[in-house]
């Protein structure tokens, strides 16, 4: 184990709880901050986050609290695991009480509408003296806390930060791989939510394995094409934060985005589907932003455009499917060595 660190995890959801519990179980004094005092007190007393991860006992080294100063005032490492719509607000609360040189790691898979801003860019804008990283990968919290073998990615230009976080969270069932392409890793985590809606929709319509394989592969091509226009490395999408997270999110009903796609195919409205799921479905907001940005940049993204038409422009699913199959037949592999 690395030298004991003081760790803070901001966010009371399932993934924040899973990360906090790994750090605490590894011997690091860990605080998990939640806005709601009653919920924080309940988690602290019961040693269980019954709302998001029922049945999993939390480490005695983990303290749940609603006092941000208590959680982060002396922290060496802070993980932010909250929905993207609240990310900047919480970061602004964090700024005046953060210790100089603290490592701040975003685990949020989303994009802020203003300026098409990634979460680590929000950290750059709001925190003056923080060391910034991103944690992303094919990670369902329920499987992490159940000690199923899991891999993820820690991305930063700061090699010392990468090493520290790898040691901090390393366990017999949780492994972190390094990547210096922070924006590419973030984009992978955000963009795959769009395509999880697509494959959820296709699965509910009874599409076969051939169709799902085609959708996954062409989704990956769209992600890489879009990322290249934003100066990320398209080859990042061949790793865990790209194709790994894409496969996980697009093939499991544990994914909220996948479930939303299934609900739409079964006749629910977008509003009904979101209400039934009851938690933030990041892919809906991401789709709006990516469609607008792709149009602005002239990036060819037929699957994202088709889904946008279904969700927001009253296109019929059948007409969209016919149009996709009659569209441009492009190169299979755009970023092969020959084309680079």
């Amino acid at each position: 184990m690395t030298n004991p660190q003081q760790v803070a995890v901001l966010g009371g959801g399932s993934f924040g709880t899973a990360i906090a519990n790994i750090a605490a179980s590894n011997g690091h004094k860990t605080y998990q901050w939640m806005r709601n005092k009653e919920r924080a007190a309940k988690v602290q007393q019961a040693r269980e986050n019954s709302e998001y991860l029922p049945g999993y006992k939390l480490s005695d080294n983990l303290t749940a609290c609603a006092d941000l100063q208590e959680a982060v005032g002396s922290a060496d490492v802070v993980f932010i695991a909250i929905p993207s719509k609240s990310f900047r607000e919480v970061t602004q609360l964090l700024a005046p009480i953060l210790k100089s040189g603290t490592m701040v790691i975003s685990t949020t898979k989303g994009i802020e509408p203003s300026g098409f801003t990634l979460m680590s860019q929000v950290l750059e804008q709001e925190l003056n003296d923080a060391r910034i990283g991103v944690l992303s990968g094919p990670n369902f919290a329920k499987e992490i806390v159940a000690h199923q073998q899991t891999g993820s990615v820690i991305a930063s230009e700061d090699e010392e930060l990468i090493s520290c976080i790898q040691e901090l969270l390393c366990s017999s069932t949780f492994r972190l791989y390094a990547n210096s392409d922070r924006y590419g890793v973030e984009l992978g985590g955000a963009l795959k939510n769009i395509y999880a809606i697509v494959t959820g929709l296709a699965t509910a319509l009874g599409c076969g394995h051939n169709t799902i394989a085609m959708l996954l592969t062409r989704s990956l091509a769209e992600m890489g094409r879009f990322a290249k226009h934003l100066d990320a490395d398209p080859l990042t999408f061949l790793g865990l934060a790209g194709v790994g997270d894409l496969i996980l999110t697009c093939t499991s009903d544990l994914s909220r985005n996948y479930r939303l796609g299934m609900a739409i195919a079964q006749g629910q409205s977008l509003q009904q589907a979101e209400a039934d799921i009851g938690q933030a479905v990041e892919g809906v907001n991401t789709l709006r932003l990516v469609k607008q940005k792709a149009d602005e940049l002239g990036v060819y993204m037929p699957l994202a455009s088709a889904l946008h038409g279904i969700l927001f422009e009253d296109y019929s699913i059948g007409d969209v499917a016919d149009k996709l199959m009659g569209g441009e037949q492009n190169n299979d592999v755009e970023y092969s060595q020959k084309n680079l």
Side-chain angles (χ1 to χ4, degrees), residues 2-327:
T2 188
N3 293 329
Q5 307 279 335
Q6 183 159 314
V7 177
V9 178
L10 310 187
S14 56
F15 191 72
T17 301
I19 291 298
N21 202 52
I22 292 174
S25 298
N26 281 350
H28 304 285
K29 180 60 180 174
T30 304
Y31 290 85
Q32 185 178 8
W33 175 78
M34 307 174 187
R35 284 182 184 270
N36 187 296
K37 291 182 179 180
E38 289 74 20
R39 189 151 68 89
K42 182 180 178 181
V43 170
Q44 178 64 14
Q45 181 177 6
R47 312 309 305 152
E48 175 189 349
N49 189 339
S50 59
E51 184 172 348
Y52 290 99
L53 290 174
Y56 296 100
K57 186 179 185 302
L58 300 178
S59 168
D60 292 335
N61 212 26
L62 174 60
T63 300
C65 69
D67 185 331
L68 191 60
Q69 175 69 51
E70 178 187 4
V72 306
S74 300
D76 303 300
V77 180
V78 176
F79 294 91
I80 305 183
I82 59 175
S84 59
K85 65 181 180 180
S86 304
F87 195 94
R88 186 177 293 273
E89 176 193 356
V90 171
T91 302
Q92 290 172 340
L93 294 174
L94 178 65
I97 55 178
L98 198 65
K99 189 172 67 174
S100 177
T102 302
M103 298 180 187
V104 182
I105 315 300
S106 168
T107 75
T108 299
K109 298 178 178 180
I111 301 167
E112 188 181 70
S114 177
F116 199 85
T117 309
L118 299 171
M119 298 300 102
S120 74
Q121 292 174 318
V122 173
L123 297 180
E124 291 172 339
Q125 293 168 5
E126 299 292 346
L127 304 178
N128 292 326
D129 192 30
R131 303 166 68 180
I132 296 170
V134 171
L135 178 65
S136 186
N139 306 149
F140 285 146
K142 288 182 179 180
E143 295 187 2
I144 293 173
V145 297
H147 302 294
Q148 297 201 20
Q149 305 290 339
T150 300
S152 195
V153 179
I154 176 67
S156 179
E157 301 84 356
D158 185 335
E159 292 183 4
E160 186 179 341
L161 178 149
I162 287 176
S163 295
C164 177
I165 303 304
Q166 285 179 314
E167 293 186 38
L168 184 81
L169 296 179
C170 178
S171 76
S172 60
T173 58
F174 192 78
R175 182 177 178 86
L176 278 175
Y177 294 83
N179 195 313
S180 60
D181 181 23
R182 174 159 44 103
Y183 296 154
V185 167
E186 275 189 290
L187 282 169
L191 294 175
K192 53 88 183 181
N193 287 326
I194 295 173
Y195 302 104
I197 300 174
V198 173
T199 55
L201 193 153
T203 300
L205 291 173
C207 292
H209 298 299
N210 291 353
T211 306
I212 300 303
M214 178 175 66
L215 288 173
L216 285 171
T217 309
R218 299 318 301 166
S219 296
L220 188 63
E222 284 192 19
M223 290 166 64
R225 192 183 304 133
F226 184 77
K228 188 180 181 186
H229 278 77
L230 295 179
D231 296 324
D233 184 353
L235 295 181
T236 292
F237 290 81
L238 299 181
L240 281 169
V243 67
D245 206 1
L246 182 71
I247 291 170
L248 177 78
T249 314
C250 291
T251 59
S252 172
D253 59 10
L254 289 177
S255 162
R256 296 190 292 272
N257 296 280
Y258 182 86
R259 295 203 309 272
L260 183 131
M262 295 191 75
I264 296 297
Q266 292 163 354
Q268 288 193 19
S269 69
L270 177 59
Q271 293 73 24
Q272 288 173 326
E274 289 184 298
D276 286 351
I277 290 168
Q279 299 180 47
V281 184
E282 290 280 4
V284 175
N285 180 56
T286 302
L287 174 62
R288 289 191 180 100
L289 299 175
V290 168
K291 174 64 164 61
Q292 181 179 0
K293 192 69 172 178
D295 289 347
E296 175 189 321
L297 296 173
V299 184
Y300 179 57
M301 301 185 74
L303 288 175
S305 296
L307 181 63
H308 190 277
I310 292 168
L311 295 189
F312 305 120
E313 302 171 61
D314 294 323
Y315 289 8
S316 76
I317 295 173
D319 287 347
V320 166
D322 290 343
K323 185 177 179 181
L324 282 171
M325 289 304 293

